Amino acid sequence: MTAQTTDVLVIGSGFGGAIPAYYLAAGGARVTVLERGPRASAADFTQSMRLGTYNKIVDVVQGDGVAVVAGNCVGGGSVVYFAASLRAPSFVFERHGGLGRRLWPAALTRAALDPWYDRVEEALPVTRTDWPDVSYAGGVLAAACHRAGHTCNPVPVAVDTSTCTNCNWMLSGCRFDAKRSLLLNYLPAAEAHGADIRPLHEVQTVVPSPLSGFRYAVGYTVLDPDDYGCTAQAGVIHAKVVVLAAGAVGTPVILRRSAPFLGGVPAAVGRYFSGNGDRVSVADVDERKARSLLGLSRPDGTAYEGLPVGRPITAATYDHLDPAAPEYSRFTLQQIYFPPLTNLLAQSGGSPAWFGVGKRDMRARWRSWLTLLAMTEDDNEGTFGAVPPTGGFIRLAPGLGQGTMTYHPTSRTRRAWDRADTALRDIMEKDGLSRVLPWSEDVADTVTAHPLGSARIGDDPATSALTDGNELRGHSGLFVTDGAAVPTSLTVNPSLTIAALAERAVAGIAGRAADAGVALRRDVPLPGR
Amino acid sequence: MDEPERRTVLKALVATLAGLSTGALETPEAAASTASESWTTQTLEAFADTLIPGERRFPGDMVVAGAVTGPGAVQAGVVGLLQSPRLPVAPLLPAIAALLDARAVAYAAVRLIWLSPARPPFVGLPFSDRTALVAGLFDPDDLDRPVWQVMSLLVGLAFDTAAPQDTAEALAQGHPGLTWLRFPEPGPDGLWRFPDFSYGRPLAVLHPDTTASGSPA
């Protein structure tokens, strides 16, 4: 039997994987993409909360002290995310965190990353939105900010707003192909240049290849589409260059499982895990106050009652992003919508906090809830424990897994959350407009949809797993380009930064491919151009 | 519960989610109608009713405490759903119910609450005590916390999302939880679209340091 070979093997098809896959394929390399999730497209994305639909393409991975929401399909997080596309503020790149010195590589600043942000914004493309694009929920946040003396901005999104139906089912994938997921740009462009994307291929190990001319051999299992816990077959592909982009929960696990075969991996692999400082709260809005204090009313006469209407993210305030303020005090406050899957987590005030009569009463006012996300400066305090037997976590059921990460917020992270909570109350509780309550930690601990930092870039080998070009230290030709590489929480949604860093890493990846004898064309245009 | 048994129960609970995912389940209403009034059923119904209370189903209903009027988790069918013989969790529900009843006995003993031998201990507790007991199950140090976390997840999914059913179908059938939330109806083709979604006017001043794309500078 002939061994399977490829020039560039990409593990994962989210932002970190799709972008290098496109450029290397368009440059002339043989590219293979292994994706652990299934392949789905608009026709498959049902507007339904029936189990067996969304939970085939989204995973909730419960660790010790943290639950992570992650994409599980071709296109990765881009298929199920809420498309908010923000550049990280300049101060983020200067963060010191708990270590007391600059964490990002010296070569990386906001100005250095801006050209790469430009490319991604053009490729997706990202739409700068205006007030007519802001949902009722975003409007309540904006009006409340204004009344409290704050600014508020419509949020740029990777959405074609002319075809968006404002249905609010983004977590299930976009039925109308209005969301500019990777299924509509980098991935089809990569395939047009010959890239081979294989869904339901879950990578287990990366080991040195015994084949002449190939650096790495990547072992995978093929998952049963009806039961991801069952394995149909296994295989190995030999590659000259490997790009690992399995997500910040998957990537460190694959590397640690492979460590004995690779002769070890940097100590920072599986450390410094961050939840982007995510902190979700519910404001239980008083409809009469929304009318009298904010002057809001809808065509049908109601003041708000708009939680289920619109896109999940439409407005945010940047007023707490002061570069001169001390670390752990800066954050973005953003309006966000989650389907009622998460209703259990909403507190209702009083005792008990999250269940019982008070909570049921609050559910009757569900349409008047305003769900809000603070993205703060956390401490990268998460770590990964024992490696599970296969995959990135133990699969319990479709869409539910037991992970090995531990995240117990430090006092600094708690302080950052408290500051965001206080600011949110100052805006949303002014004159009794609403009652603000953070999600309960009793049921799922801290919840994040933005896992970062578990194999981060940096200049210091002791605290970063990757060079500033995203190459794993001590392992030539093995790159990590997903959220795992992002060294700190960002105070904004991370997708655009993950994508920009992947764009920036392409030159180094192409260089290693060229070193291995892969002839590559230069000056590859943006996808679709 | 000892450690291996706890793991078995957890695995079975999550296997329940897998069973739901395949759609191999009757609607909760149908399942609820065939549920027997065993001690296990009564205990699990009382647990679900503590999380999302509903009104008594008949005069003298002791299982549903009747803390409110209108539907709760029991009306939304969560316990009938768990007890479907087609789900692998069914054989383990007695162990979970027994665990809860054991906690109820201990709770009552230290508070000198008399429990009728004619009813499961948890059912015998007044609603306020059920509430206090359940709150304690989520103590971060409680060994069985993961069991109650998954059970709570199922209760929530049953009420808030009509988990075994297509959402449009569940709404059309008047699912108690979705109706309670006033979840919006889809259009005639079964899809949701909101042509009216925005106040459509400036509602705040923009941050002065905003980039051309709309990001923070």
Side-chain angles (χ1 to χ4, degrees):
Chain A
M1 190 178 128
T2 310
Q4 295 184 83
T5 63
T6 191
D7 291 333
V8 179
L9 187 102
V10 179
I11 303 167
S13 60
F15 285 105
I19 290 173
Y22 163 67
Y23 285 105
L24 273 295
R30 288 188 303 147
V31 173
T32 304
V33 181
L34 303 183
E35 163 57 50
R36 72 187 169 104
R39 184 160 194 156
S41 59
D44 305 308
F45 299 141
T46 54
Q47 295 180 329
S48 180
M49 294 183 285
R50 185 175 75 79
L51 283 172
T53 55
Y54 63 91
N55 59 319
K56 300 286 273 190
I57 57 172
V58 184
D59 281 329
V60 175
V61 184
Q62 180 73 51
D64 173 8
V66 65
V68 174
V69 183
N72 177 48
C73 53
V74 173
S78 81
V79 175
V80 297
Y81 81 149
F82 296 164
S85 300
L86 297 163
R87 301 185 185 206
S90 300
F91 70 79
V92 162
F93 298 87
E94 309 305 321
R95 286 196 57 196
H96 287 198
L99 288 177
R101 56 190 155 70
R102 196 172 184 273
L103 292 172
W104 287 71
L108 261 167
T109 60
R110 166 67 183 269
L113 201 56
D114 271 335
W116 307 107
Y117 278 130
D118 288 343
R119 292 184 67 89
V120 181
E121 288 178 352
E122 193 177 344
L124 289 176
V126 173
T127 302
R128 175 165 188 166
T129 59
D130 203 349
W131 293 106
D133 303 305
V134 172
S135 70
Y136 293 124
V140 170
L141 174 64
C145 283
H146 183 66
R147 191 164 182 277
H150 287 286
T151 69
C152 190
N153 283 38
V155 172
V157 286
V159 172
D160 179 350
T161 52
S162 68
T163 55
C164 174
T165 66
N166 291 281
C167 71
N168 240 343
W169 285 93
M170 267 196 185
L171 183 74
S172 302
C174 183
R175 174 95 184 183
F176 305 102
D177 268 346
K179 181 164 65 180
R180 308 281 85 187
S181 81
L182 297 167
L183 296 172
L184 302 177
N185 34 66
Y186 288 95
L187 289 175
E191 286 183 305
H193 288 281
D196 176 17
I197 300 174
R198 303 189 193 176
L200 296 165
H201 281 55
E202 185 173 73
V203 168
Q204 307 299 343
T205 51
V206 180
V207 306
S209 171
L211 289 190
S212 176
F214 293 87
R215 283 198 184 94
Y216 297 103
V218 174
Y220 63 85
T221 50
V222 182
L223 308 181
D224 183 316
D226 296 320
D227 182 354
Y228 302 153
C230 294
T231 300
Q233 61 188 83
V236 174
I237 302 180
H238 300 265
K240 295 171 179 173
V241 172
V242 169
V243 178
L244 185 46
V249 170
T251 287
V253 176
I254 293 170
L255 285 175
R256 281 198 169 178
R257 184 179 294 122
S258 306
F261 311 102
L262 291 171
V265 295
V269 170
R271 296 180 65 195
Y272 308 115
F273 172 70
S274 160
N276 200 40
D278 283 6
R279 175 84 164 162
V280 182
S281 300
V282 174
D284 186 0
V285 176
D286 182 322
E287 289 286 336
R288 286 176 305 141
K289 295 284 180 72
R291 185 187 306 278
S292 63
L293 297 179
L294 304 181
L296 297 176
S297 69
R298 294 172 47 182
D300 66 2
T302 54
Y304 169 45
E305 294 194 356
L307 179 71
V309 177
R311 278 194 306 280
I313 296 172
T314 64
T317 178
Y318 305 154
D319 275 4
H320 304 89
L321 297 174
D322 178 2
E327 212 164 336
Y328 305 103
S329 73
R330 300 166 294 196
F331 49 86
T332 294
L333 294 179
Q334 191 171 75
Q335 163 263 326
I336 193 166
Y337 167 80
F338 297 94
L341 312 170
T342 60
N343 281 5
L344 198 70
L345 302 172
Q347 296 189 46
S348 62
S351 179
W354 59 273
F355 68 90
V357 175
K359 177 60 177 289
R360 180 178 171 279
D361 290 347
M362 187 177 155
R363 277 183 169 96
R365 298 191 300 276
W366 177 73
R367 284 193 180 199
S368 296
W369 296 6
L370 176 62
T371 322
L372 297 144
L373 171 65
M375 289 166 284
T376 70
E377 297 176 279
D378 79 352
D379 224 2
N380 286 75
E381 53 265 69
T383 58
F384 281 72
V387 177
T390 64
F393 50 85
I394 296 168
R395 289 181 197 281
L396 301 172
L400 189 63
Q402 183 85 47
T404 59
M405 62 284 187
T406 297
Y407 184 92
H408 295 299
T410 64
S411 58
R412 289 185 288 266
T413 296
R414 288 273 177 203
R415 197 164 69 233
W417 288 349
D418 289 346
R419 280 178 175 271
D421 289 352
T422 301
L424 190 53
R425 286 201 169 94
D426 288 347
I427 293 168
M428 290 305 305
E429 293 187 341
K430 190 174 169 62
D431 299 320
L433 173 63
S434 71
R435 286 185 317 143
V436 174
L437 296 150
W439 270 1
S440 169
E441 294 177 34
D442 281 351
V443 197
D445 300 305
T446 299
V447 180
T448 178
H450 302 140
L452 300 172
S454 52
R456 63 189 187 180
I457 53 174
D459 291 331
D460 175 12
T463 59
S464 61
L466 313 176
T467 67
D468 78 349
N470 293 67
E471 196 168 34
L472 189 70
R473 294 182 184 284
H475 300 277
S476 180
L478 177 50
F479 292 83
V480 174
T481 54
D482 56 17
V486 177
T488 65
S489 54
L490 300 174
T491 68
V492 294
N493 318 70
S495 61
L496 202 70
T497 301
I498 295 169
L501 287 170
E503 283 270 357
R504 178 179 173 275
V506 164
I509 298 166
R512 289 296 187 215
D515 292 348
V518 181
L520 290 170
R521 188 163 72 88
R522 291 167 180 244
D523 301 326
V524 174
L526 286 170
R529 305 301 154 95
Chain B
M1 210 182 283
D2 63 23
E3 188 58 35
E5 191 182 357
R6 183 178 294 113
R7 277 203 298 272
T8 306
V9 169
L10 262 179
K11 283 181 74 172
L13 275 171
V14 297
T16 300
L17 292 172
L20 289 175
S21 304
T22 65
L25 194 69
E26 320 155 52
T27 62
E29 289 79 8
S33 67
T34 58
S36 71
E37 283 291 308
S38 72
W39 274 40
T40 295
T41 309
Q42 293 178 41
T43 302
L44 296 175
E45 283 181 338
F47 173 77
D49 182 64
T50 307
L51 292 187
I52 307 177
E55 66 188 15
R56 289 203 164 98
R57 296 161 293 181
F58 47 85
D61 188 353
M62 300 299 291
V63 174
V64 173
V68 296
T69 55
V74 172
Q75 282 82 0
V78 64
V79 175
L81 178 157
L82 278 176
Q83 289 189 323
S84 167
R86 300 167 75 174
L87 292 182
V89 74
L92 288 156
L93 290 176
I96 296 171
L99 183 63
L100 189 57
D101 281 326
R103 298 290 288 257
V105 168
Y107 178 96
V110 298
R111 289 167 182 79
L112 303 178
I113 298 171
W114 182 81
L115 294 173
S116 165
R119 285 189 289 277
F122 185 78
V123 173
L125 289 176
F127 184 75
S128 60
D129 290 302
R130 294 183 190 181
T131 300
L133 192 162
V134 167
L137 300 178
F138 292 85
D139 187 294
D141 297 329
D142 196 296
L143 280 176
D144 296 313
R145 185 179 183 228
V147 172
W148 309 117
Q149 286 177 323
V150 176
M151 288 290 286
S152 302
L153 179 68
L154 288 168
V155 172
L157 290 180
F159 188 85
D160 294 320
T161 75
Q165 289 179 279
D166 180 71
T167 306
E169 286 175 18
L171 272 168
Q173 293 168 14
H175 182 271
L178 294 179
T179 304
W180 186 254
L181 298 179
R182 293 196 297 134
F183 195 90
E185 299 280 346
D189 63 353
L191 296 177
W192 279 261
R193 296 179 185 83
F194 294 108
D196 295 320
F197 62 92
S198 174
Y199 295 109
R201 59 187 169 92
L203 290 166
V205 176
L206 300 186
H207 194 279
D209 297 323
T210 302
T211 68
S213 66
S215 278

